[in-house]
Amino acid sequence: MSDTYPQNPHLVTLQNHAGMQVVIMDWGATIHSIKVPVAGKATLREVLIGPKNPEDYHHQYCFMGATIGRYANRIDKGQFNANGKSYIVGGGQDVVLHGGKVGYNQRRFEILCTSPQVAVFKYHSPDGEEGFPGNFDLTVKYTLGDDCSLRIDYHGTCDQECPVCITNHSYFNLNGHHSKVLNHEALFNSKAILPMDPRSIPTGKVYDVTARLDKVDNFNFTAWKKLAPSGTVQDFADDENMRYTGGYDHPFVICDFGDNIKPCATVKGEVVDGKQVQLEVYTDYPAFQFYSGNAINQDVPDLAIARDDGTAYGPHDGFCIEPEFFPDAPHLYAFKEANPTVTPQRPLNRFIMYKFSVL
């Protein structure tokens, strides 16, 4: 059996009593497909974008649907301190993204167990992999509820101190077909973002999006609004906080994080065939990265092809909500309490839940 990503993928299919179907691949413990019932069990809407065939995931460079680790988002200079030492990760790149050159998205996970509505995956990351210290063991448990929720539980242990942040990188399009998501509407349980420098590294400041200073009003989702009011990226052209990103790719700080009763984010798509799908995201992480798919298929060796119409995906064909610790948290000492490192005495225990409904 080949160990070359993503050859010989093993798939697990979950299905609930409502007819919702989720397909997960062992490479990257990746969510390959989420189909939501919109008019009874017989009518399902695909709400993820990604390659049609699991064997084709090497034709996408956007981490589609994957488990991200050992550290999700960015680490400045590929360096941090732990165990009284300085570590260089990801080959010492200026900015290390999503775990390094070969992150968990390209690693084959072991399938521990499955049932009609549960699947558990495991990955052992050896000491020194991508430069990270310690032997780290991660389990990823997917549970499909009859209320059309998909819960992901992460449990990770390490025999040394190490910054760890695991998330899921699914790209959603609630319209159910190859289209732009800029007309999707969103409501966030967040009143602050972390402004970033030109390399998408947080500056250490916290920006109140409700203060309406400068042009940060684009980031105020405390009331329902479209991602782009005009439906085009021209809405973002003059926003100082999007100068380097060309759209949303920012960490939102969750209000009263740890309150698992409220969703951190709610997004609804357009009305298609008389049905509108809504996504609620729950987590106990302190923040989420909201990404409007600005660089899908941009400056890559080959292109990811849409599963439904056979054409190439493009920017803003999907959005991501990635619950996580703060980007570059190892260097944000003022926020250390909200972004703990993993130690032999303190494992990682976090969850993400996606809940779908039809309006």
Side-chain angles (χ1 to χ4, degrees):
M1 181 177 295
S2 173
D3 288 324
T4 303
Y5 172 80
Q7 292 185 11
N8 304 308
H10 299 152
L11 304 179
V12 176
T13 299
L14 308 180
Q15 181 165 325
N16 67 11
H17 291 90
M20 180 175 167
Q21 295 178 3
V22 176
V23 179
I24 308 164
M25 177 173 65
D26 61 342
W27 283 105
T30 295
I31 306 176
H32 171 61
S33 171
I34 299 179
K35 293 182 178 179
V36 178
V38 294
K41 295 183 180 180
T43 306
L44 301 178
R45 180 180 295 183
E46 177 63 76
V47 294
L48 287 192
I49 71 169
K52 181 177 181 179
N53 299 311
E55 296 85 355
D56 292 334
Y57 270 76
H58 59 299
H59 294 306
Q60 60 83 29
Y61 297 83
C62 298
F63 307 92
M64 289 179 172
T67 298
I68 303 299
R70 190 180 295 194
Y71 200 91
N73 216 311
R74 293 160 175 85
I75 296 179
D76 191 17
K77 305 297 187 199
Q79 179 277 336
F80 59 80
N81 296 323
N83 305 295
K85 303 176 184 178
S86 178
Y87 292 88
I88 300 296
V89 296
Q93 303 169 74
D94 183 51
V95 176
V96 172
L97 176 66
H98 293 333
K101 295 180 179 180
V102 183
Y104 291 2
N105 60 299
Q106 295 185 53
R107 305 289 186 178
R108 190 192 288 275
F109 282 61
E110 177 186 357
I111 302 173
L112 288 186
C113 62
T114 64
S115 69
Q117 292 181 226
V118 176
V120 182
F121 297 80
K122 181 179 181 179
Y123 180 67
H124 172 73
S125 178
D127 180 26
E129 183 176 73
E130 287 294 322
F132 287 93
N135 293 287
F136 180 67
D137 288 291
L138 173 67
T139 59
V140 181
K141 180 181 180 181
Y142 290 97
T143 304
L144 179 59
D146 284 331
D147 59 352
C148 290
S149 65
L150 178 63
R151 178 171 171 133
I152 313 171
D153 286 283
Y154 301 116
H155 176 70
T157 60
C158 194
D159 59 6
Q160 296 185 47
E161 178 188 13
C162 185
V164 174
C165 180
I166 310 296
T167 193
N168 181 267
H169 208 303
S170 288
Y171 288 73
F172 298 96
N173 187 319
L174 303 178
N175 295 339
H177 63 272
H178 186 191
S179 60
K180 303 300 179 186
V181 297
L182 296 177
N183 283 321
H184 281 46
E185 296 179 78
L187 177 69
F188 293 165
N189 183 26
S190 174
K191 296 182 180 180
I193 63 169
L194 303 180
M196 298 182 297
D197 71 12
R199 299 170 305 129
S200 292
I201 297 295
T203 63
K205 298 178 180 179
V206 177
Y207 208 121
D208 180 358
V209 302
T210 67
R212 300 180 183 272
L213 302 174
D214 192 19
K215 295 185 176 64
V216 78
D217 187 47
N218 275 324
F219 293 84
N220 186 355
F221 286 95
T222 57
W224 282 103
K225 73 173 185 178
K226 289 184 178 181
L227 304 190
S230 73
T232 71
V233 294
Q234 191 61 37
D235 295 329
F236 308 144
D238 297 324
D239 194 312
E240 291 295 313
N241 285 285
M242 294 188 186
R243 178 186 302 174
Y244 310 115
T245 57
Y248 295 103
D249 192 6
H250 298 74
F252 284 73
V253 180
I254 299 170
C255 294
D256 304 318
F257 73 88
D259 178 1
N260 302 333
I261 297 175
K262 298 178 182 178
C264 67
T266 307
V267 184
K268 54 188 177 184
E270 300 174 58
V271 177
V272 178
D273 297 329
K275 302 294 182 181
Q276 187 177 31
V277 173
Q278 176 176 279
L279 166 65
E280 296 173 297
V281 182
Y282 297 80
T283 190
D284 54 358
Y285 273 118
F288 63 88
Q289 187 85 0
F290 177 51
Y291 179 47
S292 54
N294 317 320
I296 296 174
N297 275 346
Q298 298 295 293
D299 302 320
V300 293
D302 54 11
L303 301 179
I305 303 302
R307 66 180 84 203
D308 58 343
D309 65 6
T311 62
Y313 287 117
H316 313 294
D317 282 349
F319 70 90
C320 303
I321 295 176
E322 306 159 48
E324 57 191 22
F325 294 127
F326 293 2
D328 198 35
H331 298 125
L332 297 177
Y333 306 114
F335 308 106
K336 184 177 180 179
E337 184 176 347
N339 302 275
T341 58
V342 167
T343 69
Q345 297 76 33
R346 184 173 55 216
L348 176 80
N349 285 297
R350 298 284 166 168
F351 86 94
I352 298 169
M353 185 171 73
Y354 307 122
K355 186 176 181 181
F356 299 89
S357 56
V358 178
L359 306 179

